[in-house]
Structures are given as structure tokens and as C-alpha cells.
Amino acid sequence: MAKLKTRIRDLYDLSKTLAIDLFDGKEYPWEVLPDIKEFILKLGPTLNPDEYDNPSEGVWIAKDAKIFASAYIGAPCIIDHEAEVRQCAFIRGSAIVGKNCVVGNSTELKNVVLFDNVQVPHYNYVGDSVLGYKSHMGAGAVTSNVKSDKTLVVVKSAEEEIPTGLKKFGAMLGNFVEVGCNSVLNPGTVIGPHTNIYPTSCVRGVIPENSIFKDKDNIVEKIED
């Protein structure tokens, strides 16, 4: 199995997000979580008004984005070019939705960064998380962002444990991650790029890049054709 990687440079292509400067000077991706709100409020007023509407205080939406009338968009929030926010989506705030993203029916977002081309299209909850370029969460897949005992989240792998100092921390999904339907990503989950998660999985800890998660005792490396 490939060596486990948890740093920003291991997981993400920063050219694929409007929020590139949010990651500046940080080592691990979860370090951005406390700063998302202030970053949006700083970046929003600098966006080109010829490209972005400002329909309410703290909300900026690209003119070519498609927003269904029943969707709720709370501040602060930026929705980038050609994104689609579908029926009854609930964006609670502190959310950056990248280019060509799909935020589906009854999906809830809170304190998140969705890189470009992310899809959370059906009944998903994504909180205190960062989803990399072209990652996808199947119907009903959710991030669990608070431990049941309310203690601070620690990122754990067989090699190391990394204290985060965060009470709320959902999941970090690398580029091209595929999460199967009705899966639960427990607090502090980190999934490497190009990894697939089987449907109905309960996932925790660090899952290597280029792997297939069948269950916690059965994680196999992808075999290239």
C-alpha cells in the first residue's frame, strides 16, 4: 500500500479553486476550516461585479450559475461560474462552491470548500470539510463532523496521530475521490486522491490514495490496466 499522505500538496490541485489563497502558508488542509468565513468576506467584495451578482449581504453568485428558486443560500457564501444549486439545497453559510459544481436536492453545506467540478448531488450533508477537484459523493453519503463525546478531533493512521485542535472537522477528500451511496465519513477522515469508497461504508482515519475501501479491514490498492 502506498505511503499515507495528509498534507495539502498531497491531496489537492490548488489551481482548481477560487480559494487558492485560503491555503497559503498552511500545511494540512483542515487548518483552513476556522478561516473560511473571514476569507469569503474578504474575497467577495473583490470579485468582478460584471461576473458575480451580490444578491444579499455576504453572498456572491456567478451570473452563469444556476440557482433553483427553492434553494437557500446563507451568508457568507461564494458560488462560482456554472455551478448548479438544485431544489431545496440548504447552504447554511461559510461555503465556497467551485466552478461547475453540483449541489443537489436537499443537500446541506456548512463551512466547506468545494473545489471545481465537485458533485454532492443527492441528499448529502457536508460540514467542516474540504472536497477536492472532481470528487463525488453518492446519494445519501454524509460527513459526520462532531465526535459523539464532543472531544477534539485527531487524524489517525497506523503511522501517526495528528491533533487538530478542532471540535468540528468532517472529512478531507482528495482530487477524484468517489464516495459510495449512504456512506458515513466519520470526524477526521482523510481520503487520498483517486480513491473509491464502497457504498454504505463507515469510514474513519486516513485512507491511502489510489485505493479501494471495501471495509476497514479490506482496503486494496487499485491496479492500473
Side-chain angles (χ1 to χ4, degrees):
M1 192 65 69
K3 182 179 179 181
L4 299 182
K5 300 176 181 179
T6 57
R7 291 169 173 79
I8 292 168
R9 65 176 181 268
D10 301 321
L11 298 171
Y12 301 110
D13 178 353
L14 294 181
S15 71
K16 302 297 187 180
T17 177
L18 187 70
I20 182 172
D21 291 339
L22 175 63
F23 295 83
D24 188 46
K26 298 178 173 68
E27 182 176 12
Y28 296 104
W30 53 85
E31 294 174 9
V32 308
L33 295 177
D35 299 333
I36 294 173
K37 179 179 180 179
E38 291 303 319
F39 178 81
I40 294 171
L41 292 173
K42 182 179 179 181
L43 177 62
T46 72
L47 297 174
N48 186 345
D50 293 332
E51 297 184 33
Y52 296 85
D53 291 324
N54 182 206
S56 59
E57 185 175 357
V59 174
W60 294 268
I61 301 174
K63 294 179 184 292
D64 55 0
K66 184 175 182 180
I67 312 297
F68 284 75
S70 58
Y72 174 86
I73 302 174
C77 179
I78 296 173
I79 298 175
D80 211 350
H81 289 290
E82 298 186 339
E84 185 172 310
V85 180
R86 294 175 177 168
Q87 295 95 331
C88 299
F90 180 31
I91 300 179
R92 287 167 53 187
S94 299
I96 298 172
V97 178
K99 295 178 178 64
N100 303 303
C101 284
V102 175
V103 180
N105 57 304
S106 303
T107 290
E108 180 178 349
L109 303 181
K110 176 270 213 183
N111 201 50
V112 297
V113 178
L114 307 187
F115 277 56
D116 299 343
N117 295 83
V118 167
Q119 294 194 0
V120 283
H122 311 286
Y123 311 107
N124 305 109
Y125 173 72
V126 187
D128 300 285
S129 299
V130 178
L131 276 55
Y133 177 64
K134 285 194 174 181
S135 59
H136 170 261
M137 295 182 68
V142 300
T143 64
S144 174
N145 61 335
V146 180
K147 295 173 65 176
S148 60
D149 61 5
K150 308 300 189 293
T151 57
L152 300 181
V153 175
V154 177
V155 173
K156 297 181 180 181
S157 72
E159 287 77 13
E160 61 181 340
E161 295 188 1
I162 308 172
T164 69
L166 299 171
K167 181 180 177 182
K168 294 186 177 181
F169 174 167
M172 303 289 122
L173 273 57
N175 301 324
F176 300 100
V177 165
E178 289 281 343
V179 179
C181 295
N182 291 320
S183 293
V184 177
L185 308 181
N186 285 279
T189 296
V190 180
I191 303 176
H194 299 278
T195 284
N196 291 48
I197 306 297
Y198 266 25
T200 70
S201 294
C202 182
V203 186
R204 65 179 70 249
V206 181
I207 311 303
E209 64 184 341
N210 295 308
S211 63
I212 300 173
F213 180 100
K214 299 181 179 183
D215 58 55
K216 65 182 180 64
D217 299 316
N218 193 4
I219 303 171
V220 301
E221 188 172 0
K222 283 185 176 179
I223 304 299
E224 296 185 2
D225 295 333

